[in-house]
Amino acid sequence: MDVNQNITIKRVSSGKRSRERLKTLLTPAKKRGSSQYDTNNTPMADIQPAEYCSDHEDLFGAYDSILEDSSLLAKLDSRETENAHSSSENKPDTHQGAGFTSLRSSRTTSANQLCEGVLTDSILDALEEESFTDLPASQLEFQEILKNTKNLIVNTAVDKTSTPLRDFPKRTESDITQDAAVNEVYRHALKPNVRKSMSDRLKRTMLSNAAAPFSVSRSVGQKEAVVSEEISVALQAMKTVSSQTTDLGPFFGLPTKVKELLHKLKGIKILYDWQETCLNLDCVQRRKNLIFSLPTSGGKTLVAEILILKELLCRKKDCLFILPYVSLVQEKVRGLASFGLELNFMVEEYAGSKGKFPPVRRRTYKSLFIATIEKAHSLVNSLIETNRLDNLGLVVVDELHMLGDGARGAIIEMTLAKLLYMSKTTHIIGMSATLGNIKDIQTFLNAENYTNDFRPIQLKEYVKLKDTIFEVDPKEEECFKLSRSLNYKYSSGMQKMDPDHIIALVTEVIPTHSCLVFCPTKKNCENVASMICKYLKEDFLRHREAEKSTLLRELRDSGNGNMCPVLRRTVPFGIAYHHSGLTTAERKLVEEAYSSGVLCLLTCTSTLAAGVNLPARRVILRSPFIATEFLKISQYKQMVGRAGRAGIDTAGESILILQEKEKKMAKSLVCAPVENCYSNLMHDDGKGILSLILSLIGLNITTSFVQLKDFLSGTLLSVQETQLCVKKSLWDSALECVEVLKEKGLVTVEGAAQDVTLKVTRLGKATYKGSVDLTYSGLLYSDLSKGLEGLLLNSYLHLLYLVTPYDLISQCKPEWMVYLRQFTMLSASEQNISAAVGVPESFVARKAAGQTVKKNIDMLAVTRMYLAMVLFSLLKETNLWSVAEKFHLSRGFIQTLLSSASAFCSCVLHFTEELEEFWPYKALLSELTRRLTYCVQSEFIPLMEVAGVMESRAKQLYNAGYKTLAHLANADPSVLSKTIDNLYKKQANQIVAAAKMMCLSFSDAS
């Protein structure tokens, strides 16, 4: 549009004041009585007066006075004219160049004057000396503009010198071009084509002040109304679009920040081809259920984590990540806490005794629940009961093939069947090893399958017979192909000690590379580790010697001065054993040391293969047996899958040591097709389906036989009914289960045959809410009832007896002399507790003396009291080593007893919450659960609530001044790793992130 075009706008405001009425005695004599002003000397002299004006017109016209006093503005104009005149006298001739920069007096200038009509710095400085805090908003805005204009002048000229142009060397074309560009910026910024005097600026400011209190004109108001309506429509359209698309960025629909965090926190720069393919699958985009099957170490977990982040950030839904073991849950909580802090979501641990049912409602953040198999089932039950299942957008199941793993497999099936039946919006992702009958699992989950044989590191499988190594090759007729012979000289003594040449096999890779040796028994692990160290050279002792010394000190501290003699001998050589006989603290220290390369070899049982990720360059299987049972194909694949560390090794290899008689069986192990996976709901006399039906009735999922039949048709057991229900149909088995539950007093069946209503009893509800084994629910109720009759609270012994797990009783055989010795150390009231539960002192004394006992004594109660005394000693001393020595039990068993008792105590607590008669137990068991979970001095408990912080680490942190959760959350990871021995930067980052996540969890609870 031509800005010079004549525009005639009618006035819509009638608010213009008569200037005649404003004349006062203050009006200068030269203007008093005159209604016309001489406009020839004003900046607007060349502009025709507007016939009408809009709301943005100059309301003051030629009125150059506040209350008709023009003296101030006249003085300002005069000062400006003088400055302009002074500047023009010093201005060089135009032929000297467009880029001339004149010298200015230091008294009046601090920057170069760039154009006429712009206020001088002296005037600006004078104005800036005034305080503007009490000015109206529009005048403050004016001052801000004034200040910014000055800064622009000063800053853009800062690199210019005040030397006259004639003293400059000859200017290049690039210099002239650059200066022209700068001048163009000045021209646009300052608009020098219109002279902006101080009077103009003050009038503009007064215009803003005058306009502020009054409503805008009708035309402008109508325009604003139209714009507001358009904005409203646009915002509504954006909401509609955002609900239809979940794309937040270029990284598989996620912001670029996620990609940056993967690089920063996990060291992942790019994804494997199969990962990108899987994430871009049509079924993933349409949120269909998916199973992806790959070998161990193929990178399945990363795909699952990206999908979880999409659900949390894009769809704003909670997620559930199901892992098989507590150690894996804790590892994943530590690893993802940093992502939660950066991307604003909660990471919550559900393992052991941790986790709330139903989960805490969050005001701001969505939650990622990381849970063990059992805790995940309880969590889903609680969400169904509180009608919050729709908040759960995604469920990821790791090790989905564990559906075929006994009682735990049955729990996975129950959880998934409930999700499928109750929620049509919850997305299910399963990660699995390759299965032979994957079609059955697909049918059960209504899922698609993605399979790939990718491994980031190539795996070569070998077997060893005598001193010859054969490569596994299914294409060969004998399945084995000759590879090489061992070249290692053995003395006669070594040959006798190591007939399987384990020393020769491990020394080919250690200490520069890592090695795992899987052994059939726990005792064999310790023996093999000790045997290897006897024949290693002294060079191994010098490898990372200082760090191994630190590890030994920490192992000693974790045992309160006690240390395993085997580890004392083997750790200096960089070798350790790993099995369930270690305490949790020892196991954690060994794993960290191996991951960081301080330890180069672990002798371990098969449980390590299913637990935390500890890969190796070479994996050796000491035998094709676990104890006395021949390896399953899935177990073998899991062990050899640990070979090859992505980003570290270029290859991985496994060696299975065989005896000649085992050769034929080994062929079926290494060359056989993958195993099938079958439902375990009928496992152990149908315990799984009994528990399932009880919870279905208790949660009101099925209240009739029709609904029950409908639900069961959606289970894996139904898919495999022809194979698993040979003697009787699935429905007949279900009807029998209902009768069993009715006999146990857990459910009731009301109504006629065609109108039956299934209801849960109070005991039944307590049983499924507490996740109590149906075998023990009646016994638990009886024990708790008897306990109320004479509950002694002068010590924890009575409560400990009530929460000692029933399933561990068969694993312990008391030593009667030890039993009697510890019994006599109890107080009189504590001995009365023992007698009250059916274990009198006379019975223990007779058994210790080797005498026969004619009385009928419940041996379950006797053994349970023995285990309760172990727990009682542990709570008093908090020293696991000394308690193990007192009771002649392994420290590993006591660690298992403590963990199991903590979890069972939590179950009993939930059990009693559903039964009013057990109200006294609620507060008592809540505190006892906490004591059993940590079993340390009270001051260490807040630190041990952080995932992965064991007792020894908590003591280190406490002694270093990090005494509370807040201290830890505010810690600098760099300082923390330097302050705490053997704490690496990555571990410090994870600990601090987990502590921050816990603090955030407390603050965001609604």
Side-chain angles (χ1 to χ4, degrees), residues 23-35 37 68:
K23 292 180 180 179
T24 69
L25 294 174
L26 298 174
T27 305
K30 66 179 181 179
K31 291 190 175 183
R32 192 176 297 144
S34 175
S35 63
Y37 304 130
E68 300 188 77

Side-chain angles (χ1 to χ4, degrees), residues 891-912:
R891 65 190 188 281
F893 175 80
I894 293 182
Q895 181 73 72
T896 302
L897 172 63
L898 183 61
S899 301
S900 299
S902 169
F904 187 60
C905 188
S906 178
C907 292
V908 176
L909 173 60
H910 293 302
F911 182 88
T912 57

Side-chain angles (χ1 to χ4, degrees), residues 729-747:
S729 68
L730 171 57
W731 181 238
D732 288 339
S733 299
L735 292 175
E736 285 186 8
C737 288
V738 173
E739 287 300 314
V740 172
L741 293 172
K742 185 179 176 182
E743 291 173 5
K744 288 179 175 288
L746 302 176
V747 301

Side-chain angles (χ1 to χ4, degrees), residues 458-585:
Q458 183 183 4
L459 172 63
K460 292 185 178 180
E461 297 178 43
Y462 300 93
V463 297
K464 175 189 165 297
L465 283 165
K466 297 182 180 178
D467 59 353
T468 306
I469 295 177
F470 298 87
E471 184 177 354
V472 175
D473 186 355
K475 297 177 183 178
E476 292 287 325
E477 184 177 350
E478 292 297 317
C479 199
F480 303 132
K481 180 173 67 176
L482 179 64
S483 176
R484 63 187 175 94
S485 296
L486 278 176
N487 184 22
Y488 194 88
K489 295 181 180 180
Y490 267 48
S491 65
S492 58
M494 281 185 66
Q495 186 65 40
K496 186 176 180 179
M497 289 289 296
D498 183 24
D500 295 323
H501 306 99
I502 294 175
I503 296 172
L505 294 173
V506 301
T507 50
E508 288 179 344
V509 291
I510 64 169
T512 53
H513 296 287
S514 57
C515 183
L516 294 175
V517 180
F518 285 101
C519 303
T521 66
K522 290 186 284 188
K523 189 63 179 175
N524 192 238
C525 289
E526 299 176 31
N527 292 339
V528 169
S530 298
M531 181 265 295
I532 293 172
C533 291
K534 286 182 180 179
Y535 296 98
L536 289 181
K537 297 178 180 178
E538 290 187 3
D539 293 346
F540 284 87
L541 293 171
R542 290 189 287 272
H543 182 72
R544 302 185 74 162
E545 187 174 2
E547 290 163 289
K548 287 185 287 193
S549 297
T550 302
L551 175 59
L552 284 170
R553 186 171 63 253
E554 292 198 329
L555 285 169
R556 190 177 298 108
D557 291 342
S558 71
N560 294 305
N562 299 284
M563 186 176 178
C564 171
V566 176
L567 291 177
R568 188 184 295 113
R569 289 195 305 271
T570 63
V571 167
F573 288 92
I575 297 172
Y577 67 88
H578 185 289
H579 58 59
S580 60
L582 293 172
T583 65
T584 304

Side-chain angles (χ1 to χ4, degrees), residues 279-543:
L279 288 167
N280 288 315
L281 289 174
D282 184 57
C283 62
V284 172
Q285 307 304 319
R286 292 186 289 115
R287 296 187 75 255
K288 287 197 66 176
N289 295 343
L290 173 68
I291 305 167
F292 50 95
S293 310
L294 282 95
T296 303
S297 302
K300 299 188 290 290
T301 304
L302 178 60
V303 172
E305 289 175 357
I306 291 174
L307 293 175
I308 286 171
L309 293 177
K310 283 191 71 173
E311 196 71 24
L312 289 164
L313 304 181
C314 302
R315 299 192 72 250
K316 304 295 183 183
K317 293 284 188 177
D318 295 333
C319 297
L320 171 60
F321 199 166
I322 305 176
L323 297 163
Y325 302 108
V326 174
S327 59
L328 290 178
V329 169
Q330 293 175 341
E331 182 183 42
K332 191 59 64 180
V333 168
R334 290 196 305 274
L336 292 178
S338 297
F339 284 88
L341 292 173
E342 293 283 349
L343 301 172
N344 299 322
F345 63 86
M346 302 302 307
V347 179
E348 301 186 41
E349 179 182 348
Y350 278 75
S353 61
K354 292 186 178 180
K356 293 185 179 297
F357 303 109
V360 176
R361 290 183 183 271
R362 299 292 173 192
R363 291 195 299 265
T364 308
Y365 300 102
K366 295 303 175 184
S367 291
L368 168 57
F369 309 111
I370 304 180
T372 57
I373 293 168
E374 294 79 10
K375 286 289 184 177
H377 184 226
S378 297
L379 179 63
V380 169
N381 283 346
S382 69
L383 291 174
I384 292 172
E385 186 175 28
T386 54
N387 295 317
R388 291 168 55 187
L389 190 60
D390 287 341
N391 294 337
L392 193 62
L394 174 65
V395 175
V396 176
V397 185
D398 194 13
E399 310 292 354
L400 184 63
H401 53 268
M402 287 186 70
L403 275 165
D405 187 18
R408 305 194 81 206
I411 296 174
I412 297 175
E413 185 174 348
M414 292 182 223
T415 305
L416 294 177
K418 288 173 183 175
L419 289 167
L420 291 165
Y421 190 82
M422 294 300 295
S423 176
K424 303 303 179 187
T425 59
T426 302
H427 190 197
I428 297 175
I429 300 290
M431 299 185 288
S432 170
T434 307
L435 296 172
N437 62 339
I438 193 69
K439 290 289 185 184
D440 288 354
I441 316 298
Q442 281 184 256
T443 304
F444 165 46
L445 295 178
N446 188 26
E448 296 192 17
N449 180 43
Y450 177 82
T451 303
N452 197 305
D453 59 358
F454 171 82
R455 273 186 59 91
I457 304 298
Q458 183 183 4
L459 172 63
K460 292 185 178 180
E461 297 178 43
Y462 300 93
V463 297
K464 175 189 165 297
L465 283 165
K466 297 182 180 178
D467 59 353
T468 306
I469 295 177
F470 298 87
E471 184 177 354
V472 175
D473 186 355
K475 297 177 183 178
E476 292 287 325
E477 184 177 350
E478 292 297 317
C479 199
F480 303 132
K481 180 173 67 176
L482 179 64
S483 176
R484 63 187 175 94
S485 296
L486 278 176
N487 184 22
Y488 194 88
K489 295 181 180 180
Y490 267 48
S491 65
S492 58
M494 281 185 66
Q495 186 65 40
K496 186 176 180 179
M497 289 289 296
D498 183 24
D500 295 323
H501 306 99
I502 294 175
I503 296 172
L505 294 173
V506 301
T507 50
E508 288 179 344
V509 291
I510 64 169
T512 53
H513 296 287
S514 57
C515 183
L516 294 175
V517 180
F518 285 101
C519 303
T521 66
K522 290 186 284 188
K523 189 63 179 175
N524 192 238
C525 289
E526 299 176 31
N527 292 339
V528 169
S530 298
M531 181 265 295
I532 293 172
C533 291
K534 286 182 180 179
Y535 296 98
L536 289 181
K537 297 178 180 178
E538 290 187 3
D539 293 346
F540 284 87
L541 293 171
R542 290 189 287 272
H543 182 72

Side-chain angles (χ1 to χ4, degrees), residues 59-118:
L59 292 180
F60 304 97
Y63 189 65
D64 260 358
S65 173
I66 301 174
L67 296 180
E68 300 188 77
D69 182 2
S70 63
S71 59
L72 172 63
L73 297 184
K75 291 176 182 178
L76 285 172
D77 284 342
S78 175
R79 182 64 181 271
E80 283 187 270
T81 303
E82 290 175 6
N83 275 278
H85 180 70
S86 174
S87 178
S88 63
E89 288 180 351
N90 294 325
K91 188 174 181 180
D93 295 335
T94 55
H95 70 270
Q96 284 182 297
F100 178 78
T101 306
S102 62
L103 284 171
R104 296 180 59 194
S105 170
S106 60
R107 180 177 60 85
T108 57
T109 63
S110 61
N112 298 327
Q113 187 74 31
L114 298 174
C115 57
E116 291 185 353
V118 180

